[in-house]
Amino acid sequence: MEESITPKAGLEMAAQLFDLARRDPGELSEMLLTDDVAQQVLQEGLTLYIQEAKSQIESKTDSELLSPSVHATYSIDGSEQETVDVTRWFAASDDDDLLGLHEEAYGGDAISESIIAFMAFFDADVERLYFIASDPQVVCQVNQEEAQAWMTFHRPHLLREDGDA
């Protein structure tokens, strides 16, 4: 069971972790391996950061960007293939991400895998599978027709640049 730390102790640890992250990442790694309080402070800090980032993404995403829908099939650690709506990833992505996804044929490489990591914060089913594994092996294939329809509607310049992105 996690020990309860005081706010003062948490802030002191956070300052120490921040300093180590800037000047000695190796020592930071060692501390995270050996100090339960350091692990708890980092986990709590990341949890708050994730909640804030997720809230910003949700509040700043124009609802019009969530249509038309884009879906992907995915499998994590050999699980049965599932389908997830990945439109929120498209709405939050920049042109380079979208072009990169096209270059990897809408699946099977780093960008499509990162879609599933992103969606783990917005979809409970993905979260359940993604975060139970210490090093999840992700296979993802985005529906190309839906992706291109979304880009035609929201980022048509990407399609003109490549001719068939």
Side-chain angles (χ1 to χ4, degrees):
M1 183 145 125
E2 289 183 353
E3 67 180 88
S4 179
I5 58 173
T6 66
K8 178 185 173 291
L11 278 176
E12 290 169 347
M13 178 57 72
Q16 186 177 2
L17 293 172
F18 185 80
D19 183 53
L20 286 175
R22 285 185 310 142
R23 67 174 174 78
D24 192 349
E27 189 176 334
L28 173 63
S29 295
E30 181 64 31
M31 180 174 251
L32 292 173
L33 288 172
T34 60
D35 189 321
D36 291 341
V37 173
Q39 291 172 14
Q40 184 178 348
V41 167
L42 183 62
Q43 289 171 350
E44 289 175 5
L46 286 172
T47 298
L48 291 173
Y49 176 82
I50 288 165
Q51 290 170 347
E52 177 64 24
K54 182 179 167 183
S55 176
Q56 286 179 8
I57 289 169
E58 289 174 332
S59 68
K60 292 182 179 184
T61 300
D62 183 347
S63 62
E64 289 183 16
L65 291 174
L66 299 176
S67 181
S69 295
V70 182
H71 295 85
T73 57
Y74 71 95
S75 174
I76 299 173
D77 288 343
S79 65
E80 188 173 320
Q81 277 203 337
E82 303 281 340
T83 301
V84 62
D85 184 332
V86 295
T87 314
R88 186 169 299 282
W89 180 88
F90 276 74
S93 294
D94 61 22
D95 290 355
D96 290 339
D97 288 335
L98 296 169
L99 289 171
L101 180 63
H102 170 69
E103 289 171 6
E104 68 179 40
Y106 298 91
D109 211 347
I111 293 176
S112 61
E113 291 175 18
S114 74
I115 292 171
I116 298 304
F118 177 86
M119 292 310 302
F121 295 108
F122 296 95
D123 184 282
D125 292 331
V126 177
E127 177 186 28
R128 180 181 46 80
L129 289 171
Y130 190 79
F131 288 114
I132 61 169
S134 60
D135 184 22
Q137 300 300 307
V138 176
V139 177
C140 175
Q141 185 65 46
V142 175
N143 181 305
Q144 182 175 347
E145 289 179 17
E146 291 177 351
Q148 289 178 341
W150 187 93
M151 285 190 282
T152 297
F153 195 75
H154 298 288
R155 311 259 182 98
H157 63 279
L158 296 177
L159 299 174
R160 286 190 297 269
E161 288 175 9
D162 188 47
D164 68 339

